[in-house]
Amino acid sequence: MQGEGQGGAPCLACHGNDGAGNDGAGFPRLAGLNAGYLAAQLRDYREGRRTNVIMAPNAAHLSDQQIEDVAAYYAMQNVVAKPAEQPADLLAQGEKLVKQGDWDNYIVPCETCHGPGAQGVGATFPGLSGQHPSYLRQQLEAWKNGTRTNDPNQLMLAIAARLSDEQIQAVSAYLSQLPTSGGKP
Ligand code: HEC
Ligand code: HEC
């Protein structure tokens, strides 16, 4: 299975054949993300631990084998992100959060868990670099609002709850500009 989908709409209709996703539509980039992370998210959608009205129906009919196959396929893709330009002051604020955190508000640097350049660490800590800013914002807001709850030990809930709306904008803008791990998770 190479992203052609099963039952629901084909994956490529939203995520693209190469997994590039779409910023305007809020479809995440899947290319180059760790296969174990992608598979875990698909099982979570299928079993209702991660809820989203657009994505959940597409995972509902996937078998374990199809999940492994499609995750391996997108993990191997390498799209060169062409991020939209972002204001310099926002980027500077975002860079600080990613590398240094915000200790006054007990926010640990994102790189502590997501690795140098936020390129991801294994199946647990997904790469954030080169991800679409609209999707990054959606996820941080989802944790803040309590609509994404599938993170291990509520590690992300604890972070997102402390981020201001401005910090969410800034960190999403900055992360979107960073180079991805290039399909070698
Ligand atoms: C109709 C559009 C659409 C289709 C078709 C679709 N997706 Fe998605 N997908 C989304 C959206 C929107 C999200 C973000 C949902 C959220 O906020 O949880 C998403 C999220 C995901 C994620 C989570 C990414 C991450 O970084 O956590 C994975 C993995 C995924 N999709 C894989 C697939 C696969 C595999 C298929 C085909 C079987 C597929 N999608 C089909 C729209 C779609
Ligand atoms: C204590 C460890 C930890 C720290 C620090 C951390 N994260 Fe995370 N993050 C995680 C884990 C674990 C996940 C995967 C959650 C899951 O499996 O659903 C994650 C997932 C995410 C996702 C979802 C990615 C996707 O593809 O859906 C975003 C966005 C995110 N983190 C942003 C951030 C930002 C921004 C920071 C810094 C302000 C940060 N994280 C700091 C542990 C951490």
Side-chain angles (χ1 to χ4, degrees), residues 1 3 5-6 9-15 25-30 33 37-38 41-42 45 50-52 54-55 58-59 62 70 74 131 135 138-139 148:
M1 176 176 170
Q6 177 83 10
C11 319
L12 57 84
C14 297
H15 296 286
F27 302 145
R29 178 178 63 79
L30 304 179
L33 289 178
Y37 170 77
L38 291 172
Q41 296 304 312
L42 288 166
Y45 284 122
R50 183 171 172 183
T51 52
N52 178 270
I54 304 170
M55 183 50 212
N58 302 301
L62 298 177
V70 79
Y74 279 122
Q131 183 56 276
Y135 173 75
Q138 273 171 36
Q139 299 312 301
R148 182 166 174 181

Side-chain angles (χ1 to χ4, degrees), residues 84-173:
E85 276 190 38
Q86 303 284 346
D89 53 337
L90 211 55
L91 292 178
Q93 194 187 350
E95 180 173 16
K96 205 162 168 244
L97 276 170
V98 170
K99 295 182 176 165
Q100 296 164 31
D102 172 5
W103 293 101
D104 291 344
N105 293 303
Y106 304 100
I107 299 167
V108 187
C110 317
E111 284 191 339
T112 313
C113 293
H114 291 278
Q119 293 200 341
V121 182
T124 307
F125 304 109
L128 307 173
S129 56
Q131 183 56 276
H132 299 298
S134 62
Y135 173 75
L136 293 168
R137 275 198 310 273
Q138 273 171 36
Q139 299 312 301
L140 293 167
E141 282 159 10
W143 271 303
K144 256 186 115 155
N145 303 336
T147 49
R148 182 166 174 181
T149 54
N150 68 328
D151 49 324
N153 301 322
Q154 303 195 313
L155 290 174
M156 267 316 294
L157 170 71
I159 307 262
R162 298 188 194 114
L163 289 170
S164 68
D165 291 344
E166 193 190 344
Q167 285 177 319
I168 288 180
Q169 295 283 344
V171 83
S172 302

Side-chain angles (χ1 to χ4, degrees), residues 165-185:
D165 291 344
E166 193 190 344
Q167 285 177 319
I168 288 180
Q169 295 283 344
V171 83
S172 302
Y174 175 72
L175 288 167
S176 74
Q177 311 283 306
L178 295 178
T180 67
S181 61
K184 291 184 223 66

